Amino acid sequence: MPDSAAFAGFPQWAVSFYQQLEETNTKDFWAQHKARWERDVREPMLALADALEDEFGPARLFRPNRDIRFSHDKSPYKTHQGAFVGVATGIGYYVQVSGEGLAVGGGFRAHSPAETSRYRAAVEAPASGARLEQVAADLVTAGFTLEGESLKTRPKGFAADHPRLELLRRKEMMAIQRVGTPPWLGTPEAVDHVRAHWRQVRPLVEWMTEHVHE
């Protein structure tokens, strides 16, 4: 990306493109639109990441191709473009554009059973567990959804009446707010909104960094 490129927002075409891709996820369709995808999706995402780097750190853009080696779904392309600022393995800030519009958040995606074990140990501990409980409640109140893989039953070794059983069931936790397509999405103001959302999830990212990262 040229040094002069500044974030100007995500064009409406970006959302429309992913809506169409959900219906026609083929290599031919991608090839027909790749040049405009570069201009109206990838370059704005790079510019957004660049605008936020001073405060949050460098972001990695995810590849558009799906890994279909072990999947029954052989659709070749992801139906969203995401970017992730990693502060530790699986921990950081996330943003994506898709056919539903913008989604913003952050938290922790588990990459090993050891990480989930450290997470649960910190949830069980009174002080750190109570802190996460409050952070999670604040995020839900602010409009975020707590996402990530979770057990339907209680994990082994924990009491059935544990006061934070819902948190203990989780193997990971991401707080995501699905913003959609507000009027500011196609303007430079979008960077301020993403920054504000990332600041809201910072307490969750910091908790995960302190207690889950080895």
Side-chain angles (χ1 to χ4, degrees), residues 45 49 56-62 81-96 105-109 111 174 198 205:
M45 188 64 82
F56 296 96
R60 175 175 67 91
L61 267 64
F62 293 99
Q81 175 61 61
F84 184 71
V85 176
V87 299
T89 301
I91 302 171
Y93 302 91
Y94 182 72
V95 60
Q96 77 170 34
F108 153 60
R109 289 286 190 196
H111 287 69
M174 293 283 288
W198 280 3
V205 172

Side-chain angles (χ1 to χ4, degrees), residues 73-129:
D73 179 3
K74 300 302 180 182
S75 302
Y77 301 103
K78 298 171 185 174
T79 54
H80 59 271
Q81 175 61 61
F84 184 71
V85 176
V87 299
T89 301
I91 302 171
Y93 302 91
Y94 182 72
V95 60
Q96 77 170 34
V97 62
S98 71
E100 297 180 347
L102 193 71
V104 191
F108 153 60
R109 289 286 190 196
H111 287 69
S112 72
E115 291 170 343
T116 296
S117 294
R118 288 194 293 272
Y119 161 78
R120 286 177 175 156
V123 171
E124 185 180 33
S128 54

Side-chain angles (χ1 to χ4, degrees), residues 8-181:
F10 288 102
Q12 174 59 38
W13 184 88
V15 175
S16 300
F17 167 74
Y18 281 112
Q19 291 171 346
Q20 294 177 64
L21 186 64
E22 289 174 3
E23 300 295 327
T24 314
N25 197 326
T26 65
K27 291 182 178 180
D28 286 345
F29 179 83
W30 184 270
Q32 292 170 14
H33 298 87
K34 183 179 180 181
R36 191 165 182 186
W37 171 83
E38 291 275 358
R39 186 187 73 196
D40 286 354
V41 177
R42 187 173 185 274
E43 289 182 8
M45 188 64 82
L46 285 169
L48 175 66
D50 184 65
L52 295 165
E53 183 172 348
D54 284 352
E55 181 172 349
F56 296 96
R60 175 175 67 91
L61 267 64
F62 293 99
R63 297 173 66 250
N65 305 76
R66 294 182 64 248
D67 184 352
I68 61 175
R69 292 173 298 171
F70 308 108
S71 175
H72 292 296
D73 179 3
K74 300 302 180 182
S75 302
Y77 301 103
K78 298 171 185 174
T79 54
H80 59 271
Q81 175 61 61
F84 184 71
V85 176
V87 299
T89 301
I91 302 171
Y93 302 91
Y94 182 72
V95 60
Q96 77 170 34
V97 62
S98 71
E100 297 180 347
L102 193 71
V104 191
F108 153 60
R109 289 286 190 196
H111 287 69
S112 72
E115 291 170 343
T116 296
S117 294
R118 288 194 293 272
Y119 161 78
R120 286 177 175 156
V123 171
E124 185 180 33
S128 54
R131 173 59 181 155
L132 179 61
E133 194 170 32
Q134 185 61 59
V135 167
D138 290 345
L139 287 167
V140 170
T141 299
F144 289 82
T145 300
L146 302 181
E147 302 184 4
E149 189 175 356
S150 181
L151 297 176
K152 293 182 179 180
T153 58
R154 66 183 174 91
K156 292 180 180 179
F158 297 97
D161 61 349
H162 195 287
R164 291 181 292 281
L165 186 59
E166 288 304 312
L167 291 175
L168 286 169
R169 284 194 177 111
R170 296 182 175 276
K171 296 183 178 182
E172 57 189 9
M173 184 192 292
M174 293 283 288
I176 303 292
Q177 188 158 150
R178 302 187 184 281
V179 181
T181 56

